[in-house]
Amino acid sequence: MPVRRGLLAGPVLDVAPKLLGMVLRSTTQEGTVAVRLTEVEAYDGANDPGSHAYRGPTARTEVMFGPPGFLYVYFTYGMHFCMNVVAGPDGKPSAVLLRAGEVIEGLDLARTRRGHPTEEQPAFNQTAPAALEQPHAARKETPSIRGEAPDIRGEAPDIRGEVPGGGGVPGVESAASGVRQGPVVKRPKASPDRDLARGPARLCVALGIGRAANGIDLLAKHSPIQLLPGPGYDGEPSTGPRVGLRDAADRPWRFWIPNDPTVSPYRPHVPKRR
DNA sequence: GCATCGATCGGCT
DNA sequence: GCCGATCGATGCC
């Protein structure tokens, strides 16, 4: 059973650390992947210059202005998705960015999505990197949050949305088909399982989450993405500044499980150069 | 391990 | 037009 909505309705600085040790489980046509959350950041809406909601609602951020327990997914850097759990009472646009987790279910699928080689599917024989959501996918109007189940519609229940061009990549067999005689066949370096969901965009890839997941209710019984109590975390979380923020960079609103290897490294904001 | 850099495009000023 | 709640590759220590 998903967690109770009331658990997420409090002040975001209280809610964020509570998410540590909880489990996020995502099911698509491809299968199920679940992670135990190890690192999060709090974003306090109108009081927080670092929040996307700071300047008031827009089409992109409207989910955050609704009730807690819904998913806010955004696209950034022209290629990555990140996700937040909406927190606080209805109307207050606070949210918790999910930054990292440990894959505890669906390890093989997570590896495939992240471009890892496996026994059955060597990396050099893969189709497009686990079919990340394509930015060019036809826009769908933002789901109206309350009530209706967002977006997924009659389409394939793949949370990521369509992949234009559809199928495999031509010419992939070349590398694999070669008569391999030499002792060593070079393959892309597989990052360790530790890195599968280490970082907010990697976490989205591992769970197969893209634009179509925006506005999903994580607490609904039949939701394809659910927030579950999991083992929780009893200890005292570590805290520190949030990663990569220009504004409000000093607020120590990042929370993580101490010494957990899946927690992402801290990086300060770096101004673009030209 | 750490620093730097390019990719790539949507959202907002 | 600017720039990001990022990542992976590369080069160096």
Side-chain angles (χ1 to χ4, degrees), chain A residues 18-145:
Chain A
K18 284 186 196 157
L19 294 184
L20 296 175
M22 287 190 186
V23 166
L24 192 67
R25 183 163 60 199
S26 165
T27 300
T28 71
Q29 277 188 333
E30 299 177 310
T32 296
V33 172
V35 302
R36 165 185 153 265
L37 299 172
T38 58
E39 179 192 356
V40 300
E41 286 176 358
Y43 287 86
D44 195 19
N47 308 312
D48 181 5
S51 169
H52 290 171
Y54 182 58
R55 300 176 188 278
T58 66
R60 178 176 62 144
T61 61
E62 68 170 318
V63 180
M64 281 196 282
F65 290 79
F70 288 73
L71 196 64
Y72 165 53
V73 178
Y74 69 93
F75 179 64
T76 191
Y77 288 99
M79 61 191 89
H80 297 304
F81 292 97
C82 299
M83 63 176 154
N84 295 245
V85 176
V86 175
D90 193 353
K92 259 197 102 181
S94 51
V96 180
L97 173 70
L98 306 184
R99 286 201 55 90
E102 175 198 6
V103 176
I104 59 171
E105 183 183 350
L107 198 48
D108 283 345
L109 177 53
R111 287 179 184 137
T112 301
R113 284 173 169 162
R114 292 270 295 122
H116 284 219
T118 66
E119 296 276 332
E120 304 305 320
Q121 189 180 34
F124 44 71
N125 200 25
Q126 277 186 238
T127 53
L132 277 167
E133 163 145 346
Q134 302 301 311
H136 289 300
R139 285 302 293 278
K140 303 163 185 172
E141 60 275 31
T142 315
S144 45
I145 301 87

Side-chain angles (χ1 to χ4, degrees), chain A residues 160-185:
Chain A
R160 295 162 305 171
E162 311 92 80
V163 178
V169 172
V172 284
E173 88 285 0
S174 50
S177 63
V179 206
R180 61 177 58 87
Q181 31 195 351
V184 177
V185 173

